[in-house]
Amino acid sequence: MSMPDVLLPTAHIEIWSDIACPWCYIGKRRFAEALESFDDRDRVEVTWRSYQLSPDTPVGRRVPEVEALVAMNGMPAEQVRQMFAQVSDTAADVGLEIDFDNVVAANTFDAHRLAHLAGDKRDEVLEALFRAHFVDGEVVDDVDVLVKVAAEVGLDPESTRAALDGDDPAGEAAA
């Protein structure tokens, strides 16, 4: 005699992150690997939430991340570089090649708007935004870069640009 199928509950996980946070990128990769190895991953529902670490970063400023952290935290540049080296080493452990020499400090509000506009492609957009920011040295507060990222994951570039040029904060992106 077999046991009747039991309807198991869905686990709801909310992840708050910022595209400008290297630990969020590392955590996203670690979470994805853990979820992939979880037998009941189809019972896990993930909701990505937006959080801006530095909402006051001016859009279009184009300052290297090292300089931005030195100015914001009053830390010596060498200390920031050492910190970045440790983060890069940790990132490499999960297969990420973060290049802080190319990272440009950016206001991530519109990048978060793009992630929320992406609907069921949100995870792909987030991955592409993290890669653009930390690996490729793209300026993720530039609308042209955001449209390019959107197109890379299969979103329509024209409607993406129109949405980003509008005033709608894309709901949760304002959170």
Side-chain angles (χ1 to χ4, degrees):
M1 185 147 97
S2 65
M3 299 231 359
D5 288 337
V6 176
L7 183 60
L8 298 173
T10 298
H12 299 277
I13 298 173
E14 290 188 9
I15 300 174
W16 292 82
S17 72
D18 189 10
I19 290 126
C21 171
W23 293 110
C24 295
Y25 191 19
I26 293 165
K28 182 181 184 309
R29 181 62 56 92
R30 286 179 172 165
F31 179 77
E33 289 174 1
L35 190 59
E36 184 63 32
S37 67
F38 183 55
D39 289 338
D40 291 320
R41 64 184 161 273
D42 59 326
R43 294 187 311 104
V44 177
E45 180 181 295
V46 178
T47 302
W48 289 96
R49 302 284 186 202
S50 299
Y51 178 79
Q52 286 186 279
L53 290 173
S54 299
D56 297 331
T57 300
V59 173
R61 189 167 155 219
R62 289 178 163 62
V63 172
E65 188 68 26
V66 171
E67 289 179 32
L69 277 181
V70 166
M72 183 171 47
N73 296 333
M75 299 166 59
E78 187 53 37
Q79 184 179 358
V80 172
R81 284 186 185 88
Q82 288 173 356
M83 181 180 67
F84 283 167
Q86 292 172 340
V87 174
S88 293
D89 288 346
T90 302
D93 291 342
V94 293
L96 300 173
E97 294 182 29
I98 294 178
D99 184 359
F100 282 106
D101 289 334
N102 290 326
V103 175
V104 176
N107 184 301
T108 57
F109 185 78
D110 281 340
H112 286 296
R113 287 177 65 209
L114 172 59
H116 288 277
L117 291 166
D120 63 351
K121 290 189 175 274
R122 184 178 294 176
D123 188 67
E124 292 172 70
V125 165
L126 286 169
E127 187 68 28
L129 287 167
F130 278 126
R131 185 182 60 251
H133 184 66
F134 287 110
V135 178
D136 301 334
E138 298 275 6
V139 182
V140 295
D141 62 12
D142 182 310
V143 173
D144 290 335
V145 170
L146 298 176
V147 170
K148 182 177 101 176
V149 165
E152 287 172 3
V153 300
L155 297 176
D156 178 65
E158 288 85 27
S159 62
T160 298
R161 183 176 299 281
L164 290 173
D165 284 343
D167 292 333
D168 181 9
E172 302 165 61

